[in-house]
Amino acid sequence: MRVPMRLRATGLPVWVISGATVVVLIAGATIVVALLSGAASTTLGSTGATHSYLTGPAADLGAGLRHLGRVNGLSIGTAAQPAGMAESAEYRAVLAREFDSVTAENQLKWDIVEPVRGRYDWTSADALVGFAGANGQSVRGHTLVWHDALPGWLATGRFSPEQLRDLLREHIQAVVGRYKGRVAVWDVINEPVADTGGKLRRSLWMNALGPGYIADALRWAHEADPGAMLYINDYWAEGVNEKSDALYNVVAGLRRDGVPLHGVGFQSHLTLDTDLTTLDANLRRFADLGLDVAITEMDVRLPLPVTTTHQAAQAGAYTGVLQVCLAVPRCVSYTVWGFTDRYSWVPQAWPGYGDACLFDADYRPKAAYRQLRQFLVESPRR
Ligand code: XIL
């Protein structure tokens, strides 16, 4: 059955097709916001009065998204930036109020923790872990094995495969060991799959050690902190596609081999054109391998200059992904990649784009924030 509805918070037309697909049509561009279960989509269609920020029923449940997430059995997180934490009381206040979990945006990357061989600098990672502890937040450690953010001494060091293997093991033992019991989740492996071709990415690690580097790294991390949840994290693997098929095969193999792996992270750096019709099916197939799944780096970048129409569509995308996560029982967390445009990575990484976060550069909540909040209040997880 085809039920035309209107997503009231955005004012955009929405259709539920066979109780399954919500489509937002905007300015000629089709944005497929999410694949929904029938039950969840009914709730979306019945959204009532708009809640203003921190008023209405949501206020009864606590001040921030984190409380609404908890009610729904979902950890709501954000990446955090050292600059924001150091220089802005407002940044710290929103970070503490709204988020249940914090991800080290850069603080735990190799080039930050060991810029000079053998000389570790834990300053900004300690600050993040300390902040989280003081505010009852869990920490996502990001990331141990990546092709990027390698210090120069490592990237250009001309090490033998044996030396690289030793360096990787020592790195994992040092970083995970330091934060044992204080970092709940590690993105042990980041972005292992190539963008095209359905293969593992060529990287320092892959080239020297072969595909076995993934299982080795997971085992070393598990040894260093047996209580931590260990993830593989990647981008453009949100829907069912060539890249997520490749990721799936890697993960299924690790499961078959009994390698300690507990979850898969889907970064979700989205644009308004991202097709998410198969997000639900994709998360479920990974979950069916006996793993947790998580949205780990959500943002929705908009072409500049921004329009209210685009912001409304952005709200639909943020909410659509949340809705799918809530519908998949093993989707345990929903993390945004920064919460304020003041410190977003987007304008630098994607010239011509911006406005990607839930709060603007002056910490004013946007439609996306309000709609997420409203959705969490009105659509409790089944
Ligand atoms: C980005 C940070 O946000 C930037 O500050 C930094 O300059 C580059 O890295 N996928 C990831 C993240 O896994 O580590 C990246 O973070 C964004 C893309």
Side-chain angles (χ1 to χ4, degrees):
M1 198 175 65
R2 207 181 156 98
V3 187
M5 295 193 306
R6 190 160 279 271
L7 191 58
R8 285 200 214 162
T10 65
L12 291 166
V14 175
W15 289 268
V16 174
I17 300 160
S18 309
T21 310
V22 168
V23 182
V24 177
L25 290 174
I26 164 175
T30 304
I31 301 156
V32 182
V33 173
L35 190 85
L36 305 166
S37 75
S41 60
T42 309
T43 323
L44 180 65
S46 67
T47 49
T50 334
H51 301 293
S52 62
Y53 177 58
L54 301 187
T55 63
D60 303 338
L61 298 169
L65 286 176
R66 60 186 299 191
H67 298 285
L68 301 177
R70 277 194 190 177
V71 170
N72 283 280
L74 185 67
S75 172
I76 298 203
T78 181
Q81 272 281 0
M85 292 178 63
E87 67 201 19
S88 167
E90 206 162 3
Y91 184 99
R92 292 191 294 273
V94 178
L95 180 60
R97 186 185 69 221
E98 300 290 342
F99 299 100
D100 212 27
S101 135
V102 288
T103 303
E105 183 162 345
N106 294 304
Q107 298 91 323
L108 284 163
K109 289 173 182 171
W110 201 321
D111 61 348
I112 303 288
V113 298
E114 199 185 4
V116 177
R117 189 173 179 189
R119 214 177 294 159
Y120 288 93
D121 181 352
W122 306 108
T123 317
S124 65
D126 281 357
L128 181 80
V129 173
F131 183 93
N135 290 287
Q137 296 164 310
S138 66
V139 180
R140 285 190 67 92
H142 176 88
T143 175
L144 297 169
V145 192
W146 194 23
H147 62 275
D148 206 353
L150 298 170
W153 64 265
L154 177 60
T156 60
R158 299 179 166 272
F159 295 105
S160 70
E162 293 71 30
Q163 286 173 315
L164 280 173
R165 197 164 186 278
D166 287 346
L167 285 167
L168 186 59
R169 192 182 58 245
E170 285 160 18
H171 173 76
I172 291 172
Q173 285 168 343
V175 180
V176 177
R178 179 176 179 87
Y179 296 107
K180 184 177 179 184
R182 292 187 291 159
V183 169
V185 182
W186 282 101
D187 285 335
V188 178
I189 310 287
N190 198 34
E191 304 181 347
V193 181
D195 288 346
T196 55
K199 294 200 174 77
L200 286 176
R201 178 190 296 277
R202 310 303 309 178
S203 68
L204 181 70
W205 310 114
M206 179 68 181
N207 293 346
L209 309 178
Y213 83 88
I214 296 179
D216 284 344
L218 287 161
R219 289 194 179 101
W220 293 328
H222 186 61
E223 279 164 23
D225 185 355
M229 301 295 280
L230 307 183
Y231 275 62
I232 294 183
N233 189 51
D234 216 325
Y235 65 89
W236 294 354
E238 290 78 22
V240 176
N241 56 36
E242 180 187 58
K243 193 162 171 177
S244 66
D245 284 351
L247 182 63
Y248 181 87
N249 290 334
V250 170
V251 166
L254 294 166
R255 293 290 290 163
R256 268 196 307 274
D257 295 344
V259 175
L261 172 70
H262 308 104
V264 179
F266 299 87
Q267 292 187 6
S268 310
H269 295 290
L270 309 183
T271 70
L272 293 181
D273 296 321
T274 308
D275 181 349
L276 293 167
T277 45
T278 54
L279 176 64
D280 184 287
N282 195 43
L283 295 190
R284 284 180 198 276
R285 70 170 168 159
F286 281 91
D288 286 346
L289 292 170
L291 295 165
D292 288 342
V293 293
I295 305 300
T296 51
E297 304 186 14
M298 175 95 193
D299 52 20
V300 186
R301 59 184 180 272
L302 301 180
L304 298 175
V306 71
T307 65
T308 50
T309 314
H310 281 161
Q311 281 190 329
Q314 177 186 56
Y318 268 105
T319 310
V321 171
L322 175 73
Q323 186 162 14
V324 172
C325 184
L326 285 173
V328 176
R330 294 212 60 168
C331 188
V332 295
S333 59
Y334 175 97
T335 295
V336 294
W337 203 244
F339 57 89
T340 165
D341 293 331
R342 185 171 288 260
Y343 296 102
S344 169
W345 76 304
V346 165
Q348 243 188 328
W350 306 96
Y353 286 84
D355 205 63
C357 298
L358 298 176
F359 293 81
D360 71 14
D362 295 317
Y363 304 96
R364 284 185 299 246
K366 299 185 199 167
Y369 172 84
R370 288 193 297 273
Q371 197 171 306
L372 278 187
R373 187 175 182 85
Q374 182 175 350
F375 190 79
L376 284 166
V377 170
E378 296 178 357
S379 312
R381 189 172 216 167
R382 283 161 292 135

